[in-house]
Each structure stands twice: as C-alpha cells, then as structure tokens.
Amino acid sequence: MTGTSADGMMSLLNEEALTWFLETFRSLGPLPGILITFMKSFVPPLPTAFIVGLNAAVYGFWPGFLYSWFGIITGCMVTFWIIRKVGDAGILNRWASKPKVVKGMHWIRKNGFSYVFLLSILPVGPFVAVNIAAGLGRMRMASYLAAIIPGKGLMVLLVSFVGANFSSFITQPPLLAGLVFGIFALMWISKKVETYILGKQAMSETKAEM
C-alpha cells in the first residue's frame, strides 16, 4: 500500500467521519457502535477514548457502554485468535525470533494475566501490541479473557460516563480541566506500567543468569 493510499484510508477514519458514521447509521441499532469499537483491534490509530465516548453520547450511557464493551472484547478475542493461528503457521516466526521479542514472550508466559489486565484498564497505550504479544506468547484463552473482560469493562465504563456527560464537562471549566489532566495522567501511568513491567522482566532475567 502506498503512502498516499494509506493516508486516504486514515482520512476516512478521523473523528468527524466516525461521528458522521454513528449518527447516520444509528437507525441500524447497536451494529454501528459495536462495529467501530471492534475495528479498534485492527486499526491501531483509531482513538479508543473518542469512539467509546462517542458511543455513549449517541446511544446513551448504558447502551453505549454495552456496545463498546462487546465490540472491544470481540475485537480483542479475534485478534488474539488470529495471531495464535498465524503464529502456528510460521508466518510471524521471523519477527517472533528477535531477541527482545523472545524475552517478552517469556515474560508473558509467566506473568501474562497481570500484564494484560493492567494495560487493558488504560484507554491509551499499545493494546494492539499487547494482543499480539499475548497471542505469540501462547497465553491461555481463559486467562486472556479473565484479564480483558473486567479490565476493558472498567475502562469502557469510565470513558462512557465522560462521553454521556460531555456537555457538562464543556460548560464547567473545572471538570474540563480535570478531564484533560486525567487524560495526561493515564498516558503517564501507561508509560510507568510499561517501564515497571520491563524492569521486572530485566530483574528476573538477571536472577536467572546468576
């Protein structure tokens, strides 16, 4: 795919286009809301917080929450399953054989639940990469689901609340300032969690070599 065609594709997935899509096809019921959150697992640049909040704003708090939760969980499961199958077929062997990836897969096998659960709570961060790592790391489906269902549920619940009450945040500067601060705080926490996990991994490897 050329750079021009890729840019053209992403222009169709910006916030204005997503808003138009949901509002235009709302008559189809929950399908549009589920579809855009499902797509998040396959199109990493899609803004998770925006599409979850948009669902709540268009459908209402509880319906939007349920549609987003179901779409995200389904997308994660399909991604996880595909990576497991593709990995078995050997297509990703070259990428998976890199030293850093091998170390990461080793850590996933030992601590996969906590890694997936912690990062699934955050509406920002590399969760598509987490899905791939969990699939290549041979994490059991039961453990994977036990981590993402409550983790993503909590994340979607909080973001849906903001989306359903966004007008209140806009008209009240203190709430808006708190929302902006919360977004940056979550980005900071995401980086800290990744650093902590990598640090734990390095420590375990050092002890194993001693």
Side-chain angles (χ1 to χ4, degrees), residues 15 20-21 29 37 39 41 47 50-51 64 72 76 85 102 104 116 124 131 144-145 154-155 158 178 184 197-198 205:
E15 295 179 359
W20 172 86
F21 175 78
T37 47
M39 288 171 57
S41 294
F50 176 79
I51 58 179
I72 287 176
C76 288
K85 292 299 180 181
V102 171
V116 174
V124 292
N131 285 335
Y144 177 74
L145 291 178
L154 179 58
M155 181 276 288
L158 294 176
F184 282 101
I197 288 171
L198 292 176
E205 290 170 356

Side-chain angles (χ1 to χ4, degrees), residues 1-108:
M1 178 180 294
T2 64
T4 301
S5 59
D7 292 341
M9 179 178 292
M10 289 313 304
S11 69
L12 297 176
L13 299 173
N14 58 29
E15 295 179 359
E16 292 79 8
L18 292 172
T19 303
W20 172 86
F21 175 78
L22 270 189
E23 292 178 345
T24 301
F25 297 101
R26 185 181 178 184
S27 60
L28 297 178
L31 184 59
I34 292 173
L35 179 61
I36 62 170
T37 47
F38 176 84
M39 288 171 57
K40 170 61 186 175
S41 294
F42 301 93
V43 187
L46 283 178
T48 303
F50 176 79
I51 58 179
V52 170
L54 181 61
N55 266 350
V58 172
Y59 292 103
F61 175 62
W62 284 113
F65 160 72
L66 292 174
Y67 302 159
S68 295
W69 192 18
F70 180 78
I72 287 176
I73 294 298
T74 304
C76 288
M77 287 177 58
V78 171
T79 304
F80 179 81
W81 180 82
I82 290 175
I83 293 300
R84 290 285 296 268
K85 292 299 180 181
V86 171
D88 289 342
I91 297 175
L92 295 181
N93 281 347
R94 182 178 179 183
W95 185 83
S97 63
K98 294 183 179 180
K100 290 185 179 180
V101 177
V102 171
K103 293 178 181 179
M105 295 309 100
H106 176 71
W107 197 92
I108 279 283

Side-chain angles (χ1 to χ4, degrees), residues 170-192:
I170 293 296
T171 57
Q172 300 182 46
L175 289 179
L176 181 60
L179 176 60
V180 173
F181 174 80
I183 292 173
F184 282 101
L186 286 172
M187 294 174 67
W188 181 81
I189 291 171
S190 177
K191 293 296 182 182
K192 287 295 181 181

Side-chain angles (χ1 to χ4, degrees), residues 126-141:
F127 201 76
V128 172
V130 174
N131 285 335
I132 294 173
L136 289 177
R138 309 301 300 170
M139 186 177 181
R140 292 188 301 115
M141 175 66 82

